[in-house]
Amino acid sequence: MLEIDIKKRLRDFDLRVQLDIPRGKTLMLVGDNGCGKTTLLNLVAGLDNPDNGRIALDGRVLYDSGNGTNVPPEARGIGYVFQSYALFPHMSIYDNVAFGLRTRRMAASEIKILVKEHLEAASLWEIRKAKAADISGGQKQRTALARALIIEPRLLLLDEPLSALDVRKQATMRKELRETIRACGVPCIIVTHDLRDVACLGDQACLLEQGMIAQHAGAEEVLNWGLCTDF
Amino acid sequence: MASNQADISRFDERSLAELVNHEHETPGKAICIPSRTREVAMKAGLAFLLTLAMAFIALPVVALFLKSPLETTLRSLHDPMVLDALRLSLTTSTLTTIIVVVMGTPIAYVSARFHYFGKEIADSLIDLPVIMPPAVAGIALLMAFGRMGIVGHYLSAFGISIAFTTLAVIIAQVFVSSPFYIRQARTSFEDVDLAFENAARTLGASRVYTFLHVILPIAMNGLISGAIMAFARSLGEFGATIMFAGNFQGRTQTMPLAIYTAMQGDLDVSLCLSIILVAISFVVIIIVKTMTRRVIMRC
């Protein structure tokens, strides 16, 4: 269970968010550009600090302004897929996926087994030696997801994971993504502008406006919000 | 009016400049220059300027080689003054580059990534030696680290003397060449997308691990270019060195100083040293250009 109750002063408004996401459930975060969606992900990941509040994951406090707890991002065990995918350009696909295991000083033989398993599951084993710049958008997305999943995260954060793909590719990747997330069984937050993502991937949906949760409901109810087009 | 419309209908075949020229043409004074002629004239003018600029730079370099026969140059290579200057220059410039890279890299990274009180002043101070005349830099160093300087005064009490030693040569070189590296390194670090750093952190990498395994390799080409520029600047340093370190053969007489000294006696030695410096500079330029091209191609 992910528990968020935080406040942060942004340039134009205050970001105030109170959310609970149970294990295995996916929250879709929608809203206009600049409403604080990515900032919220960064706050949960520990890449930015709230002004005050509390974040806890599976009962473990990650941030608490009350007692000064602030677990650094490297110790939070959160898988984060960035909008640009942020694949390290100087490394191969294999090394990108192995990165998280190497930081944990895992044995090379064990790393090889795990990376192979994840790359084969993502149909990337054949191109394991390619550099990030030389692969397609879909392959980049799968690499970024494999890199985030291999560390066995306790929470998944995905920032517009399909936005860099063309429409035809999006439909295929959406189905793949849904299955992968379901298999993980951890809480997940996905930022998106596309209502098809909400309908296909989400269990809950949140509409963020000027840093506040304007709507919060089941994913299937999103179309009833009167928002029939993309955000 | 009819004439204007005819012009516009042929607009795809005639340049706008030609059309404007036609508009202002006085009847009876047909001095219209065809656009093709104008284009050729412009190209010829640019070619002349380029040739002039190339000749201006190449001529002195060529003159160096022409005025110094190969036999004389090779003979001068055995001159103790040349050997001492060459050894001292290469040693001090290499040490300077190592010091600048080791100390400048964290400074450049902090400058690129973080905001702190007084950052503007710190950045300006780092850049200051670039615009400061080398002779002024030499006097400033003397006033700081010389025997009567504000720091040197205390050091001399412990029997430590910096001015007019090989250490002074290195200090002078570090002072003038560090901005060349730090500026380039700062730009390279700024160009590294923050998302790479964030991704590494969420994957379990500490700040140090992220810096060593992600940021540094991505910025590496820029850092190498900066280091080469700093090395080249150290190698050519003259003003600050002669003011702060003096001109003692084998101890503080680097190649530029040796050229200056030899000029007053044996011109052949001076030419020999100059040719070696030109050759090194040329190699440095080629390396920098290659490195820069690799960075651009990667982007």
Side-chain angles (χ1 to χ4, degrees), chain B residues 107-130:
Chain B
I107 292 170
Y109 178 68
V110 168
S111 177
R113 277 285 188 261
F114 301 102
H115 293 279
Y116 55 88
F117 180 74
K119 182 173 184 286
E120 290 297 319
I121 295 169
D123 286 349
S124 303
L125 263 177
I126 288 167
D127 292 341
L128 189 65
V130 174

Side-chain angles (χ1 to χ4, degrees), chain A residues 47 73-74 78 80 82 84 86-91 99-100 102-104 147 151, chain B residues 193 195-207 209-210 213-214 217-218:
Chain A
L47 299 172
E74 60 266 31
I78 293 174
Y80 195 154
F82 292 80
S84 61
L87 297 178
F88 306 132
H90 60 295
M91 292 184 195
F99 185 88
R102 287 182 180 144
T103 62
R104 286 160 175 75
R147 188 176 68 173
I151 61 168
Chain B
D193 192 340
F196 296 136
E197 201 170 330
N198 287 340
R201 300 291 306 282
T202 60
L203 289 166
S206 64
R207 279 191 186 280
Y209 191 96
T210 303
H213 291 86
V214 177
I218 295 174

Side-chain angles (χ1 to χ4, degrees), chain A residues 220-231:
Chain A
E220 69 283 355
E221 293 171 50
V222 168
L223 291 176
N224 297 331
W225 293 351
L227 302 164
C228 299
T229 54
D230 292 355
F231 290 91

Side-chain angles (χ1 to χ4, degrees), chain B residues 80-225:
Chain B
M81 186 188 185
V82 174
L83 288 174
D84 282 347
L86 188 59
R87 182 187 49 76
L88 188 69
S89 268
L90 291 177
T91 311
T92 53
S93 296
T94 305
L95 282 171
T96 295
T97 308
I98 292 169
I99 292 166
V100 166
V101 168
V102 170
M103 293 180 71
T105 305
I107 292 170
Y109 178 68
V110 168
S111 177
R113 277 285 188 261
F114 301 102
H115 293 279
Y116 55 88
F117 180 74
K119 182 173 184 286
E120 290 297 319
I121 295 169
D123 286 349
S124 303
L125 263 177
I126 288 167
D127 292 341
L128 189 65
V130 174
I131 51 165
M132 188 187 275
V136 177
I139 292 178
L141 287 168
L142 204 56
M143 292 303 108
F145 301 107
R147 210 189 319 163
M148 300 308 290
I150 53 174
V151 175
H153 177 70
Y154 294 104
L155 292 175
S156 62
F158 294 99
I160 301 168
S161 178
I162 293 176
F164 308 109
T165 63
T166 306
L167 180 61
V169 175
I170 295 171
I171 290 174
Q173 288 178 351
V174 168
F175 187 82
V176 297
S177 68
S178 57
F180 287 84
Y181 176 75
I182 293 173
R183 281 155 64 101
Q184 174 68 48
R186 186 167 58 203
T187 309
S188 300
F189 286 134
E190 281 167 353
D191 288 345
V192 177
D193 192 340
L194 192 62
F196 296 136
E197 201 170 330
N198 287 340
R201 300 291 306 282
T202 60
L203 289 166
S206 64
R207 279 191 186 280
V208 175
Y209 191 96
T210 303
F211 181 76
L212 294 176
H213 291 86
V214 177
I215 299 163
L216 212 52
I218 295 174
M220 188 54 82
N221 283 349
L223 301 188
I224 291 172
S225 294

Side-chain angles (χ1 to χ4, degrees), chain B residues 64-75 268 271 275:
Chain B
L64 262 184
F65 286 89
L66 291 178
K67 284 286 181 185
S68 174
L70 188 65
E71 194 191 329
T72 320
T73 306
L74 291 175
R75 199 174 347 109
D268 285 342
L271 284 169
I275 285 170

